[in-house]
Amino acid sequence: MTLPVTDYPALWLRDNCSCADCVAPGTEQKLHGITDLAPDTRIARIEEDEDAVVVVFAPDDHRSRFTHAWLAAHRLDSALADNRAEDAKQLWQAADLADSIPAGSWPEFQQEPIERAAGLEALLSQGFFLLRGVPVTDGAVLAVAESFGYVRRTNYGELFEVRVEDQPTNLAFSSLPITPHTDNPYRDPVPTIQLLHCLVNAADGGDSGLVDGFAAAALLRAADPAAFDLLARTPVTFRYADVATELSATRPLIGLDPVGRIREIRFNNRSMRPIALPADQIAAFYAAYRRFAEILYSAEAQLTFRLEPGDCVVFDNTRVLHARTGFRAGGPRHLQGCYADLDGAYSELAVLRRGSIETKGAAR
Ligand code: OGA
Ligand code: ZN
Ligand code: ZN
């Protein structure tokens, strides 16, 4: 059943005309802007046939054709679409995935559209997937990123080495444990995808952990709405500096979209700078920050596993936090990591679906 065309405001319809004068043929690109349309645009006449409605507008006498299918697909009361917000995601606790980590094999991911789509669906709905069988060779992580998107080059280079350094500027490059965090919160825009590829992991320790930050924020909201609100409204500065670099960005720990849905988590105790708030609000901020951290660090939240050589974990760095346990200094452990972005992954998945491949998640 479709709505009568009169349920759509005239200016909205006029703006969305897709005739060859309004949209450049062969593209989806509009040729007009809002200031080209009369503010008093109204519907002068309607002609209806089986598949479509033809609307004649006043005062410009323009004729537009809208199919019933198009009108139905653009209902004005449909949920506000944002594929990055919490309600587009499948939130999880460790126990939900402990026996079913979304995983695939790199050769299949590379060669089979259906496997690539399944991996990307897991990334976009659960926040991560694991690939096994990635060659244990220098730079292989870049080939994984390039198979579905574009590598985000940073001051660390195209890729970064995660191994013990003598004088680490980043604790990731030591053998210390690292608590759950998102990477590079001191960047704006933040890298939205991170990859970590294991080349060697013979150390005693050095196990990996992943936490669904959206699920943790939703738990905080249910348990302590005032704390959730405070973290969503308080800007925090994150910073990274070394000899050649000085980066900082100021954003809340919990980022919301314009209608209040959880959309982005930034959480990194190492790079957080002193909080700037009136003195009488500091205690409440610290209490809320602690409460959120307790949820993120809990055993229920953290999915633990061990990266073996040839494994590459790909995750949404705006949602899923990663961690590792400490290991014996000098124990051989070497990962290579790189960053990429979610827009490329969404695009790749959309194009794969266009090819009418039956994706594994299609029945959901
Ligand atoms: C990192 C990081 C985790 C690990 O490099 O960003 O958090 O397993 N590494 O060493
Ligand atoms: Zn037109
Ligand atoms: Zn990290």
Side-chain angles (χ1 to χ4, degrees):
M1 198 195 69
T2 54
L3 296 171
V5 72
T6 47
D7 282 9
Y8 296 81
L11 187 58
W12 183 95
L13 287 167
R14 177 67 190 84
D15 188 37
N16 289 303
C17 179
S18 63
C19 80
D21 292 334
C22 290
V23 173
T27 77
E28 293 183 353
Q29 306 261 298
K30 262 187 196 137
L31 293 165
H32 60 261
I34 182 60
T35 54
D36 298 316
L37 303 179
D40 61 341
T41 293
R42 48 199 191 275
I43 295 175
R45 207 164 66 247
I46 294 173
E47 297 158 15
E48 202 148 350
D49 65 34
E50 206 162 288
D51 314 323
V53 185
V54 173
V55 179
V56 182
F57 294 94
D60 67 355
D61 243 350
H62 195 78
R63 281 175 76 86
S64 306
R65 187 170 187 276
F66 301 98
T67 64
H68 295 303
W70 187 90
L71 289 169
H74 294 87
R75 291 175 63 107
L76 298 182
D77 59 356
S78 54
L80 291 164
D82 179 354
N83 55 20
R84 298 274 299 277
E86 59 178 308
D87 51 8
K89 308 295 185 186
Q90 213 175 307
L91 306 193
W92 51 266
Q93 300 288 306
D96 300 328
L97 296 181
D99 301 321
S100 58
I101 290 189
S105 103
W106 165 239
E108 288 178 9
F109 185 88
Q110 213 178 2
Q111 286 152 27
E112 309 284 346
I114 190 170
E115 292 299 325
R116 194 150 68 253
L120 295 175
E121 274 168 3
L123 172 67
L124 302 175
S125 71
Q126 286 157 318
F128 74 101
F129 67 100
L130 184 69
L131 283 176
R132 300 203 169 92
V134 178
V136 181
T137 53
D138 181 43
V141 71
L142 298 175
V144 176
E146 281 160 4
S147 72
F148 62 79
Y150 302 91
V151 172
R152 170 102 73 102
R153 192 172 168 180
T154 71
N155 56 298
Y156 300 118
E158 277 210 295
L159 62 74
F160 51 89
E161 309 283 352
V162 186
R163 60 186 165 200
V164 176
E165 291 176 2
D166 283 343
Q167 306 249 295
T169 54
N170 189 315
L171 289 188
F173 312 146
S174 74
S175 61
L176 291 172
I178 302 182
T179 52
H181 63 282
T182 61
D183 256 35
N184 293 205
Y186 41 77
R187 262 181 237 289
D188 190 11
V190 79
T192 51
I193 294 178
Q194 181 170 352
L195 295 88
L196 288 171
H197 172 218
C198 178
L199 297 169
V200 183
N201 197 4
D204 195 1
D207 292 345
S208 299
L210 294 174
V211 176
D212 183 351
F214 282 15
L219 282 176
L220 178 66
R221 181 174 54 199
D224 189 343
F228 175 88
D229 226 49
L230 192 56
L231 296 186
R233 282 188 294 101
T234 306
V236 173
T237 297
F238 296 93
R239 186 176 129 93
Y240 172 84
D242 64 23
V243 170
T245 304
E246 196 168 316
L247 291 161
S248 80
T250 302
R251 309 290 298 166
L253 300 187
I254 300 175
L256 305 181
D257 76 2
V259 292
R261 296 176 298 198
I262 300 162
R263 192 176 194 275
E264 182 171 287
I265 303 298
R266 288 191 194 220
F267 195 95
N268 192 315
N269 66 302
R270 285 172 283 145
S271 54
M272 211 165 137
R273 293 298 96 195
I275 193 82
L277 274 178
D280 63 354
Q281 292 174 32
I282 296 289
F285 177 84
Y286 271 103
Y289 172 38
R290 177 188 301 273
R291 193 117 196 227
F292 190 31
E294 283 169 352
I295 298 172
L296 290 167
Y297 296 174
S298 70
E300 293 75 31
Q302 195 168 162
L303 183 68
T304 56
F305 58 101
R306 189 174 173 82
L307 286 175
E308 299 295 346
D311 289 352
C312 180
V313 61
V314 181
F315 51 93
D316 175 348
N317 187 50
T318 69
R319 171 184 170 195
V320 169
L321 291 78
H322 60 288
R324 70 139 192 259
T325 61
F327 52 97
R328 206 173 43 80
R333 185 175 189 275
H334 183 195
L335 313 183
Q336 286 185 329
C338 72
Y339 302 111
D341 284 298
L342 287 167
D343 58 350
Y346 277 106
S347 168
E348 172 71 7
L349 182 58
V351 171
L352 287 168
R353 282 178 175 156
R354 224 191 254 170
S356 82
I357 59 154
E358 280 290 314
T359 60
K360 278 186 175 172
R364 263 208 312 273

